[in-house]
Amino acid sequence: QQTGQSVQNIKGTGAAGGIAASLLSFFKCSMESGAGIVFNASGMETHLQDATLLITGEGKLDTQSGYGKVVYELTQAAMRLGIPVIALCGKVEINREQINRYGLASAYQIISNEVDEQMAVGDAVKLLKKLAAETIVLYTQYNQSTLRNRLI
């Protein structure tokens, strides 16, 4: 109100964007995706040039994951390069349609009927290694059967 500038409709100035809204109101500045800045600065897209698969991680894959988080930046780059992306997560809270909309080939979670959230957090390294190994086996089997089907 004091500056006469309206920031309420600017993406990123919502409920948790009080600092951003204040900065935009009082200073000549712009908002940038932190994940995008890190992604571009790291040269990640160059590193992906020769990849055939990208496996990424996300603590919780949810509706916020498609809005500027690292997983989003990675999937966008991989899609430009035609590389499938698999997300290994602590927890997946979105459905298959949303997973595909984010550009992911698939997403797997540590939490299961046998592993609750507390166990997942307490033994994350071991459980993530197990999930990664299982995912690689599935991906390899899928690709081999796809290759066989193309040869027949």
Side-chain angles (χ1 to χ4, degrees):
Q1 287 177 318
Q2 292 180 354
T3 64
Q5 293 188 20
S6 175
V7 294
Q8 67 188 38
N9 293 325
I10 298 174
K11 183 180 174 184
T13 61
I19 292 174
S22 298
L23 291 171
L24 288 169
S25 293
F26 289 99
F27 301 100
K28 286 189 175 191
C29 59
S30 63
M31 289 191 42
E32 302 288 331
S33 161
I37 291 169
V38 171
F39 183 84
N40 291 331
S42 71
M44 183 58 74
E45 196 154 348
T46 302
H47 296 296
L48 293 174
Q49 295 293 324
D50 296 323
T52 56
L53 173 67
L54 172 61
I55 298 176
T56 187
E58 183 79 3
K60 180 169 68 171
L61 189 64
D62 59 16
T63 56
Q64 294 298 307
S65 300
Y67 297 99
K69 286 191 172 182
V70 173
V71 68
Y72 175 80
E73 296 294 335
L74 287 170
T75 56
Q76 295 306 297
M79 284 172 48
R80 287 191 293 275
L81 298 168
I83 302 166
V85 182
I86 296 173
L88 303 182
C89 310
K91 188 175 192 177
V92 176
E93 290 188 343
I94 57 174
N95 62 35
R96 163 61 56 200
E97 181 183 320
Q98 291 168 306
I99 288 168
N100 291 337
R101 196 173 333 129
Y102 290 173
L104 295 166
S106 56
Y108 301 101
Q109 68 179 10
I110 293 173
I111 294 175
S112 66
N113 292 336
E114 296 84 30
V115 178
D116 64 17
E117 194 166 340
Q118 185 176 357
M119 288 173 61
V121 171
D123 217 358
V125 173
K126 180 180 131 191
L127 293 168
L128 189 57
K129 284 180 182 180
K130 181 178 183 262
L131 183 61
E134 291 168 353
T135 301
I136 293 298
V137 168
L138 284 172
Y139 180 78
T140 304
Q141 289 173 347
Y142 171 79
N143 278 339
Q144 287 176 352
S145 69
T146 302
L147 180 61
R148 258 184 268 135
N149 290 337
R150 287 184 185 166
L151 295 175
I152 294 174

